[in-house]
Structures are given as structure tokens and as C-alpha cells.
């Protein structure tokens, strides 16, 4: 029997999940979220670091599975919780945190507003997230020192240096401010690239939580897919504080190049502080 040409497979229209499947996934997501609340409230802080890491990884993997998300890891795995390591990744979706945590557990940096969200603010705080006031430029110095202290004590931290989400088909400039923590702590900086693909292996923007997209719209688009594959690619680890990575600007630029390469972007541009997703110089897949 002749095999179907690959081009036909790639052009096959995707079938949406049934309303019943979407409802079941939504219900399971709610149950799993409540289970996570229970773990953080009553168990998580009583465990040692190794047990916390493994519990969080299992919980994240399960959440992704409930939503029909398959994870593919590429590159050299840095380990469950690599000490004194700053993870830096491109930012597309609220799923990014689960995708990263399913492979390597980290403590995240988030905007201060999230700390005041009902329930969610408490959850992320209990999970070890640090918060930064993005409206106050001076707050970066405070957070850098806290991050540096945490890194030197053996923590693994994670930031999204684009400072906002994109649809995944562009890579915004990396803001360099929080790379200073890695310089202060003499850390390894680990670039990580996230890509979301549909069942045909084609990049999809449906998981995106960018622009005017609401959480409800993003979740509805995800639930319509039978399967979405997220690729988590670990790039070359960089030694902060040693030439040629002895400045936060050099670290930001080198990290961005690693992510751009894994996203298969055609060109590269150094860190700046001012461009939006609508900027005509933004790199497009």
C-alpha cells in the first residue's frame, strides 16, 4: 500500500475535540488545580528540597497531560534543580511555567500585581516566586540582590527577559536588568526555548496569552486541540561573570541568540529596552 506523502499529512485539517472532551478536560484541570492548592497549603513546605522538586515536576506534567499537552525535551538536560543557575526563556503562554517546571524546577520572577491576585497570588508566593515592581526601575536592584543571594545558596531561578508574552512567532528584545543577579552570584545562565506545535508538527499560536487575548480565550483555543506539543530546548549554558559574558548586556545578547537559533529565526539583534511586538524590526519565523 503506498504511503501518504508528508506534504498531505502536514496539510491535513486538524479536527477539534468534542464539547464533551473539552468539558472533561476543564473539569480535570479544576480538580488538579485544587489538588495543587492542597499540596502547597499542607505538604509542600514540610518537604525537603529534593522532594519539593519532584512533587512540583510531577504536578506540572500531570497538568499538561490533562490539557492534552505533550512535552518534548531537546538539548542537554541541566538536571532537576541545577544549583546556582539562572534559566532564561522566551515567553508565549501561561503554559510556559508548567512546561519549564515539568523538566527542571525553578523559582520564578513575576510582576508584583500577581502577588495581590486572589488565591493565585498566594499560590505562586507559596511556591517560592519572587515579585518585582516593573513600574519602579529601582526595584530591579532589590530583586537582583535577592536573586543573587538565592542563587549563591543553591537555588535555580527563572525569568522571562522579554518581560511580556508574544504569539510565539516573534522574539522580542531581552531586557538585561535581571541578568545582573547572575553576574553577582557567578551563576550559570541557561537559555531555554519554548515552541508550541500542533498535531501536524506546525507551530501554532493558539496557546499564546499575548496582546488582548484573555485567559478564557487562550484556554478555549488550547482545549480545541486534540494534542499540542511543546518543545523545551536547553541551549548552551553560559558562565556569567567570565569573558565574554562579564556584563549583563553580553549575557542578555548571547542568551537571546541561543533562543533565536532554537526558534529558527533568520537574524539576530542585541538587547534593547524599548520595542513592542508590533515593531517592524521584530524577528518573525
Amino acid at each position: 500500500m503506498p504511503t501518504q506523502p508528508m506534504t498531505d499529512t502536514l496539510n491535513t485539517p486538524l479536527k477539534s475535540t468534542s464539547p464533551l472532551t473539552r468539558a472533561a478536560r476543564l473539569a480535570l484541570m479544576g480538580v488538579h488545580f485544587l489538588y495543587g492548592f492542597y499540596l502547597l497549603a499542607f505538604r509542600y513546605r514540610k518537604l525537603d528540597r529534593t522532594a519539593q522538586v519532584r512533587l512540583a515536576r510531577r504536578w506540572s506534567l500531570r497538568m499538561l497531560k490533562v490539557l492534552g499537552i505533550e512535552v518534548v525535551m531537546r538539548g542537554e538536560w541541566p538536571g532537576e534543580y541545577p544549583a546556582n543557575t539562572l534559566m532564561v526563556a522566551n515567553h508565549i503562554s501561561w503554559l510556559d511555567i508548567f512546561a519549564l517546571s515539568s523538566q527542571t524546577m525553578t523559582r520564578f520572577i513575576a510582576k508584583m500585581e500577581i502577588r495581590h491576585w486572589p488565591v493565585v497570588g498566594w499560590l505562586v508566593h507559596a511556591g517560592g516566586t519572587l515579585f518585582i515592581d516593573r513600574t519602579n526601575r529601582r526595584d530591579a536592584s532589590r530583586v537582583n540582590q535577592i536573586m543573587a543571594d538565592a542563587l549563591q545558596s543553591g537555588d535555580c531561578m527563572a525569568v522571562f527577559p522579554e518581560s511580556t508574552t508574544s504569539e510565539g512567532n516573534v522574539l522580542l528584545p531581552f531586557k538585561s536588568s535581571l541578568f545582573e543577579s547572575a553576574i553577582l552570584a557567578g551563576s550559570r545562565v541557561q537559555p531555554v526555548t519554548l515552541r508550541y506545535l500542533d498535531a501536524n508538527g506546525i507551530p501554532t499560536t493558539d496557546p499564546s496569552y499575548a496582546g488582548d487575548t484573555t485567559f478564557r480565550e487562550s484556554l478555549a483555543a488550547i482545549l480545541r486541540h486534540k494534542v499540542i506539543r511543546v518543545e523545551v530546548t536547553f541551549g548552551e549554558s553560559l558562565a556569567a561573570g567570565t569573558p565574554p559574558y562579564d556584563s549583563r548586556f553580553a549575557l542578555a545578547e548571547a542568551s537571546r541568540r541561543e533562543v533565536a537559533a532554537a526558534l529558527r529565526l533568520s537574524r539576530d539583534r542585541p538587547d534593547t529596552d524599548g520595542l513592542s511586538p508590533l515593531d517592524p524590526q521584530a524577528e518573525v519565523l
Side-chain angles (χ1 to χ4, degrees):
M1 180 181 296
T3 58
Q4 186 178 21
M6 182 176 293
T7 53
D8 289 347
T9 302
L10 294 178
N11 292 328
T12 302
L14 295 175
K15 294 183 179 179
S16 297
T17 54
S18 68
L20 182 61
T21 296
R22 295 196 289 272
R25 284 182 175 179
L26 192 59
L28 288 172
M29 178 185 174
V31 170
H32 195 58
F33 181 83
L34 290 174
Y35 177 56
F37 183 88
Y38 161 77
L39 292 175
L40 282 172
F42 300 106
R43 288 189 55 194
Y44 188 77
R45 285 176 287 186
K46 297 178 182 179
L47 302 174
D48 61 29
R49 179 178 289 175
T50 299
Q52 286 179 342
V53 167
R54 291 177 180 172
L55 181 66
R57 287 189 65 206
R58 287 197 301 269
W59 187 90
S60 295
L61 275 171
R62 178 60 184 167
M63 177 60 83
L64 293 171
K65 185 175 181 179
V66 162
L67 294 171
I69 312 293
E70 296 180 354
V71 186
V72 177
M73 194 273 285
R74 302 192 186 281
E76 184 175 347
W77 185 54
E80 285 189 320
Y81 195 77
N84 199 9
T85 298
L86 178 65
M87 298 270 176
V88 294
N90 60 312
H91 200 9
I92 301 169
S93 173
W94 52 275
L95 292 173
D96 296 350
I97 292 175
F98 303 137
L100 287 172
S101 297
S102 74
Q103 301 303 300
T104 298
M105 188 57 194
T106 68
R107 296 179 64 190
F108 287 90
I109 311 299
K111 59 184 180 180
M112 186 66 73
E113 296 91 318
I114 294 176
R115 178 67 181 91
H116 304 294
W117 290 0
V119 183
V120 173
W122 180 88
L123 284 172
V124 295
H125 175 67
T129 296
L130 294 177
F131 298 93
I132 184 170
D133 183 359
R134 296 195 183 278
T135 65
N136 182 359
R137 285 185 173 272
R138 295 180 180 179
D139 199 45
S141 297
R142 176 188 67 86
V143 174
N144 268 318
Q145 190 58 61
I146 294 174
M147 288 175 61
D149 292 343
L151 288 165
Q152 286 182 322
S153 69
D155 277 349
C156 178
M157 309 295 296
V159 299
F160 297 109
E162 291 171 286
S163 295
T164 188
T165 51
S166 75
E167 291 190 337
N169 54 2
V170 298
L171 183 62
L172 305 179
F174 277 15
K175 295 183 183 296
S176 62
S177 57
L178 295 182
F179 284 86
E180 186 66 25
S181 64
I183 300 287
L184 294 172
S187 307
R188 303 295 301 187
V189 174
Q190 176 64 67
V192 187
T193 306
L194 301 170
R195 295 178 75 222
Y196 292 90
L197 310 173
D198 65 22
N200 287 338
I202 305 299
T204 176
T205 61
D206 282 346
S208 172
Y209 191 33
D212 295 328
T213 302
T214 65
F215 175 78
R216 182 177 179 178
E217 290 169 342
S218 173
L219 178 59
I222 292 166
L223 293 175
R224 285 194 293 269
H225 283 259
K226 288 191 173 182
V227 64
I228 292 176
R229 182 188 310 135
V230 55
E231 292 183 347
V232 181
T233 302
F234 294 100
E236 180 182 352
S237 176
L238 313 173
T242 62
Y245 311 120
D246 46 4
S247 78
R248 61 188 176 95
F249 303 104
L251 276 172
E253 182 178 352
S255 299
R256 189 173 183 278
R257 281 200 301 266
E258 283 289 311
V259 174
L263 283 174
R264 303 170 191 173
L265 296 177
S266 60
R267 54 195 176 86
D268 200 31
R269 188 179 54 189
D271 167 76
T272 73
D273 284 330
L275 297 177
S276 75
L278 300 179
D279 187 272
Q281 299 184 64
E283 296 170 344
V284 181
L285 289 175

